[in-house]
Each structure stands twice: as structure tokens, then as C-alpha cells.
Amino acid sequence: MGHPNVGKSVFFNRLTGAKVLESNYPGTTVDFTKGWMRFGGEDVELIDVPGAFSLEPKDRAEEVAVKILEENRDSVVICVLDASKVERGLYLALEIIERGYPVVVALNMWDVAEDKNIRIDAEKLERILGVPVVPTIAISGEGFKELVSKIKEAAPVKIEKIIENAGGVESAAVSG
Amino acid sequence: MLKVPLSVDERWNLIEKISKQTVEFGARKHTLKDAIAELTVKPLTGIPVAIAVLYGFWSFFIDFAGTLFTDGFMVRLFDEHWLPWLQSVFPGGLGNPFYALLVDAGHMENGVLVASDNCLESFGVLTSGFFVPFGVVLWAVLAFYLMFALLEDVGYLPRLAVLVDTVLHKIGLHGYAIVPTFLALGCNVPGVTATRPLETRKQRFMMITLLSVFVPCGAQIGIMQDLVPELMGWIFLTLVIGYLGFGFILNKIVAGKSPEIIMDVPPYRMPMLKNIVSKLWIRTSRFLLVAVPFVLLGCLIVGLMYLTGAMDWLATVLGPFLMSWFGVPGETVAPLIAGFLRKDLAVGMLGGLMEQGIMTTFQVFTSVVLLCIYFPCLATFALMLKEENWKEFLGSIASLIAMVLVYGGLIHLVGIMLGVA
């Protein structure tokens, strides 16, 4: 899961050897594709989904993504974030964590973030979130080995634990 | 204590807390990439850049596909070798129904049935049926998708969307519409699926309807360019006016909202050869898989309709209407029928009629435009059924019929007023 144009399809193609279209604009993928990847000596199913900004779908493509997530309650979710826009990506990642999915976070487009002079402390982020966080550059394949090896470390995390790790958070005055 | 799930604000507060501890924003350098990015979205420089990019796209398309492959090589191969060879070795000969269906139907000249001398006139499954996809369209599709993949991977499309945003807002669409429209210029099918990121049903309905009516696919453009290169400017102008004009009208009469879509403009990237090749392969093979069987089937159906006399009957029945309303001869029925299956085959058949000299230039122009707008091909039609609900689908069909009648009649009227029809 991840925002539009963060590189989900590139991950999918790299991990499964499949060929789904990859392009440099949001909205390339509008339907899901299933594929198989080798993982710890067995074949595991991986699903490529369209980009979504949140779990409250606003359009047909997002509907597809959310539906796939809900239909696969016992999956591990690879959350692909654009490292140059971490905050926005974290919103979706937190939503998925709150729903109890085991998550691995990929900080993709690490190179773009470096270009923009954005530095992320991935280890600290990992400690706060309590889920594996791996910097990646999908188009060149950097960080993939580490990402795959950490899939088995993914476990559901309670949001209260994350709040505690982050040093607490005031409940919002305007709550929804 | 906080309740799970968090509220939107609480989640953002938490994110702020986390990012303060983990993310550090350094000073942004203004790089060459940024400079290029700005030049291509500011109207003053962006519009000339857009014109240059589209012109380059088009030039490559006609030079590579049309001049180099089709005219330079494939036309000769098919007309000078393949057709004469089949005519000499295939059993039956002119007048034999089986021969007519597969190789050459021939045509009447001064009351005598004569053999065809090119693969568009012959109408056979083995001649026209192979010439259209492999002689013309394949190269057009390859050229289109090569250029398109480059534009996609560089990241130019979202910039183009920003540029045309103001114009498209006037017809209730958003700049993002450029993505489905451009995709549809390759093939309407992915164009229609690419409307999914549009937010409201109104926008999707409008986009799907406009696409399926006014956007010709790459296969069709390729063969039009091969047959009537001198008319291409007029054809595109007519289609663009139709797209914007009917978009404007649809926006007024369709209920619903057209909210802003916030689209991210990605950074420019260097396209990677591997990805370009892979996309070219995926899309071209998909084209061959879908198009070739339909072209062959279309050839066969039209051939059978000629042989059984059904086509002549239809031409006589529909001829007066076609002539009085659109100003095109009854013979246009054959391409119109073929167009239900494949537009490229239909335009190719029109080429066959042209070569027999039974149409004026204006009639050719009108028929080519009619072929674009009268019906989406079968594949697109089926997809519209899947993507739209029943009400919307019927709405699409109704607007389609209305648009064809109004616009086709209007073109005829303008032709009469200009004295060319």
C-alpha cells in the first residue's frame, strides 16, 4: 500500500519478476495484480494495488486498494512511502497499523529525498513505530534484500505503544 | 486517554511528533532539475515547450511509422509481392467466393470484375486482414508507445496536465484528464480504465463518453495518416472542437460536481531503457493479441456480407439516410460495419473505396470523422459496460448517438455552406 506514484509497481515487478506497467505519474495502476515471490524457501503471494491517500476511498482506484486490504486480513502489508514526503505517507501507514496489520515500511525514493536535502533517521523511526523501516531506491533495487529479510519481523503494533514511544500526544480539541 | 482509531487530527499530531524526532530538512538547493521543472509548467515558457514536445511526438510518429516502415517497406512488400503471389497461387481465382473471402474480392470497372492491385482494395482475410495490422498499424502503435513511454517516465504528463488545467476547467474537467486522453490516443481501453482516479461519477461519466467518442486510437491514427495525410490537420481540429464543445455541453446538463483534484507533480527522472523496452513489449503484444483476431474476424464478416448481398441491401436501405444527413455515399456502410469490431480495419476499407474513386475529398473527410465518433470499438464498448453502471451506460450511449447525429450533420452543413460538400 502507499500513495500514488511512490513506486509500488516497481516493488511488485522487482519482487515477483512480473511485469506490470511502471510510469512516472500518479494513477498508473488502477487495478490490482497478483504475483508470487520467493520468500524463505516458499512461494508467497504478493498483490500490487493502486495508490491511496487514506483508507477512506475517494475514487475508484482507492476503492480497489482498500477492498484488497480488507479482503486480506491476515497479510503482511508493505507500506511504500515517498521518503521526500514522509509525513503524508506515515498517515496511511498509521491507519493500516491501527487496523492491526503487521507492517513493513519502505522509505522509497531515498535518493530523491537526499537530493532535496531531507535526512531521515530510519533507525529511530523504526524504534518509534516498532515495525521494520528500510530505506529503498526501488528503480535500482537498493534496500530490497534488507526489506525482504525483514518481512518476517513484521508484527502488529498497538498504536498506544507508538504514542508512548513518540513521547505522548495530546488528544485533539476538535476530534472526529 | 486516546481512543482507537485515532481522529484525523490526533493522527496528524502524532505524525508531527514522530517526524520532529526523525526527519531533518536541510536547505534546499535550486538544482538544474528544478529550473527545467519550472520552465515546463510556467505558461510563458511551458506552452512553447508543450507545442515542441507534441510536434516532436507527431513528427516521429509519422516519419518512423508512416514514411519509414509502412510506405518505405511494408506497402511494397504487401502490394508488390504478397498480393500478386497469393493471386497467382491461390486456388479459385477471381469470382470464386472462397477466393474472394480470403484473397481478393475484386471490384467492378465498366461492368467487368477486375483484380485489385493493392491490399486495401482486395478486402481479403489474408491480404487486407494482414496488411492492416502488420503493414500499417503495428508500426504506428510501436512508434506511439515508444514516445509515450518516454513522456511517461520522464514525468512530463503531469506537467502537461498543469498547463491545460485552466482550459479543461471550462468544460468541467481537470488537467488530469490529459492522462486518460493521452492514453486513449494509444488505445481507448486503457484510456477508459485510467479514469478511475477521477473523484466524482460525473467526471468519470463525462471523461469516458468524450474519450470513446472523440479520441481516435493509435491504430486508427496510423492508418488515417497512411491514407489521408493531407486531411489529418482538419480531422484533428474537428475532433478537438467536438471534444471541447460537447464537454462544455455535458458539463452543463449532467448533474453532479466536478471538484478539484489535487495531483502530485513528480520530479523529472531519467527514463530507464529497461523499463521503456518492457512497457513497449507489454503494450505491443497486448495490441497484437487483441487486435489481430478482431481484424481478421471483421474482414471475414464484411466479406461474407458482401458475398451474400447483405451489404448491398444495407447500402440501399441506409444509403439515402447517410447521403441526406451526413452527405456520404451508401457504400460507407461497409466500413461502418467493420468499425464496430476494429476502427483501423474500417478506415482501411474506406481507403479501398477511395481508390475506386467513388468519393469526393469532403466525403472522405466526413467518413473518416464519422468512423472516429459513431461508435467506440467493441473492446471499449465492453469495458464501458464494466466501468459504468446501467444508468450511466445508457447515458453514454444516448449522448453518443446524439453527438454523432448532431456533429455529423453539422459537418455536412458546414460543408454545404462552404460549397465543398
Side-chain angles (χ1 to χ4, degrees):
Chain A
M1 301 279 297
H3 281 198
N5 212 37
V6 293
K8 292 176 296 299
S9 294
V10 186
F11 267 78
F12 181 76
N13 283 348
R14 288 241 164 210
L15 292 174
T16 63
K19 288 197 187 312
V20 297
L21 291 173
E22 306 166 2
S23 300
N24 184 16
Y25 63 82
T28 305
T29 309
V30 290
D31 211 342
F32 68 93
T33 311
K34 292 185 175 184
W36 297 90
M37 62 180 275
R38 283 303 277 181
F39 178 72
E42 53 182 327
D43 286 329
V44 193
E45 193 178 56
L46 187 68
I47 310 176
D48 183 37
V49 298
F53 286 105
S54 74
L55 293 184
E56 289 91 48
K58 293 256 185 333
D59 60 54
R60 269 293 297 275
E62 290 190 343
E63 268 170 36
V64 173
V66 175
K67 191 165 161 267
I68 293 293
L69 183 74
E70 283 167 355
E71 279 173 4
N72 294 274
R73 286 282 352 168
D74 47 1
S75 325
V76 175
V77 179
I78 302 179
C79 279
V80 186
L81 271 58
D82 176 346
S84 68
K85 298 171 186 141
V86 199
E87 283 114 328
R88 283 173 33 173
L90 275 176
Y91 188 88
L92 180 69
L94 285 177
E95 272 193 306
I96 297 169
I97 291 172
E98 279 174 50
R99 291 205 185 181
Y101 288 90
V103 163
V104 183
V105 171
L107 293 173
N108 196 32
M109 302 203 235
W110 191 255
D111 51 337
V112 177
E114 276 178 345
D115 278 353
K116 289 189 181 169
N117 230 338
I118 298 170
R119 274 179 298 274
I120 305 166
D121 188 341
E123 281 164 29
K124 189 155 189 195
L125 188 60
E126 187 171 286
R127 277 201 302 279
I128 294 176
L129 292 178
V131 303
V133 174
V134 186
T136 56
I137 306 172
I139 48 175
S140 62
E142 269 169 70
F144 271 63
K145 246 188 157 158
E146 198 188 339
L147 181 90
V148 173
S149 72
K150 289 203 167 172
I151 289 178
K152 59 178 177 303
E153 291 173 25
V157 181
K158 285 262 177 275
I159 193 77
E160 291 86 349
K161 184 82 189 151
I162 298 178
I163 294 172
E164 192 191 313
N165 291 343
V169 80
E170 321 66 58
S171 58
V174 209
S175 63
Chain B
M1 192 56 206
L2 293 166
K3 277 202 297 276
V4 182
L6 303 181
S7 75
V8 174
D9 292 329
E10 287 163 350
R11 210 174 280 130
W12 280 120
N13 286 346
L14 174 59
I15 288 166
E16 208 192 311
K17 267 255 157 67
I18 297 175
S19 79
K20 262 192 194 142
Q21 303 172 49
T22 54
V23 188
E24 197 184 316
F25 294 91
R28 273 211 68 176
K29 299 171 295 221
H30 198 78
T31 59
L32 179 65
K33 241 186 198 174
D34 296 328
I36 298 172
E38 276 166 24
L39 282 181
T40 48
V41 288
K42 284 191 178 147
L44 193 66
T45 43
I47 292 169
V49 169
I51 293 172
V53 167
L54 295 178
Y55 183 78
F57 194 120
W58 179 245
S59 308
F60 178 81
F61 182 77
I62 55 179
D63 284 340
F64 173 85
T67 314
L68 186 67
F69 277 91
T70 302
D71 294 343
F73 186 64
M74 298 319 265
V75 169
R76 283 181 210 160
L77 179 74
F78 274 90
D79 290 352
E80 289 168 21
H81 300 283
W82 180 240
L83 179 68
W85 180 73
L86 277 176
Q87 282 170 332
S88 66
V89 299
F90 206 84
L94 215 54
N96 176 307
F98 192 59
Y99 176 87
L101 217 48
L102 288 179
V103 181
D104 181 11
H107 61 277
M108 302 303 272
E109 236 168 64
N110 306 321
V112 189
L113 188 65
V114 293
S116 311
D117 53 15
N118 66 62
C119 281
L120 285 177
E121 271 183 86
S122 56
F123 276 28
V125 173
L126 294 177
T127 50
S128 303
F130 278 85
F131 175 67
V132 169
F134 295 110
V136 185
V137 171
L138 174 62
W139 312 104
V141 169
L142 259 178
F144 179 88
Y145 280 135
L146 177 61
M147 294 304 283
F148 188 67
L150 279 173
L151 285 191
E152 278 184 325
D153 286 12
V154 167
Y156 186 66
L157 287 181
R159 265 114 190 152
L160 198 57
V162 172
L163 268 183
V164 295
D165 195 48
T166 340
V167 182
L168 289 173
H169 262 301
K170 297 221 179 345
I171 64 164
L173 290 173
H174 181 271
Y176 183 79
I178 207 74
V179 171
T181 304
F182 229 115
L183 268 168
L185 283 170
C187 173
N188 279 0
V189 170
V192 170
T193 33
T195 61
R196 284 184 181 181
L198 297 177
E199 271 188 37
T200 61
R201 300 217 72 116
K202 172 183 179 169
Q203 285 180 315
R204 290 196 71 214
F205 169 78
M206 279 184 59
M207 195 74 242
I208 291 178
T209 309
L210 289 177
L211 281 187
S212 55
V213 177
F214 291 107
V215 183
C217 68
Q220 199 180 353
I221 299 170
I223 197 148
M224 291 196 303
Q225 168 64 27
D226 188 49
L227 286 173
V228 287
E230 70 284 359
L231 292 178
M232 289 310 276
W234 291 109
I235 294 169
F236 273 119
L237 185 67
T238 314
L239 293 173
V240 169
I241 293 174
Y243 180 100
L244 296 176
F246 282 95
F248 185 80
I249 297 172
L250 278 180
N251 185 33
K252 293 270 181 246
I253 59 175
V254 178
K257 273 189 257 175
S258 301
E260 272 293 331
I261 304 170
I262 298 136
M263 179 159 97
D264 275 317
V265 177
Y268 276 129
R269 292 206 183 98
M270 197 50 137
M272 293 197 307
L273 183 67
K274 216 184 98 195
N275 194 38
I276 300 275
V277 171
S278 140
K279 285 210 270 202
L280 210 51
W281 168 248
I282 298 172
R283 286 172 165 155
T284 311
S285 55
R286 213 179 270 170
F287 159 76
L288 288 176
L289 235 57
V290 177
V292 177
F294 274 119
V295 170
L296 297 180
L297 185 68
C299 259
L300 196 67
I301 291 174
V302 171
L304 281 172
M305 288 180 74
Y306 268 118
L307 281 177
T308 52
M311 201 61 94
D312 290 332
W313 181 79
L314 270 179
T316 325
V317 173
L318 295 175
F321 166 71
L322 288 175
M323 194 65 205
S324 60
W325 193 266
F326 299 117
V328 296
E331 281 85 349
T332 335
V333 160
L336 285 173
I337 300 246
F340 280 101
L341 286 169
R342 288 290 307 177
K343 294 291 184 77
D344 44 5
L345 176 69
V347 179
M349 287 188 164
L350 209 57
L353 294 177
M354 269 165 60
E355 311 228 346
Q356 292 172 24
I358 56 169
M359 294 172 110
T360 66
T361 311
F362 191 74
Q363 284 178 331
V364 170
F365 165 77
T366 314
S367 332
V368 172
V369 174
L370 275 183
L371 274 182
C372 289
I373 66 178
Y374 85 105
F375 181 78
C377 69
L378 198 63
T380 311
F381 191 72
L383 186 69
M384 284 167 70
L385 254 175
K386 193 181 140 217
E387 292 286 316
E388 299 187 315
N389 63 34
W390 267 104
K391 223 174 112 197
E392 288 167 328
F393 181 70
L394 292 177
S396 285
I397 300 300
S399 9
L400 194 144
I401 294 170
M403 284 178 198
V404 175
L405 289 177
V406 172
Y407 208 45
L410 209 59
I411 292 169
H412 188 199
L413 188 69
V414 171
I416 293 173
M417 292 199 299
L418 295 177
V420 288

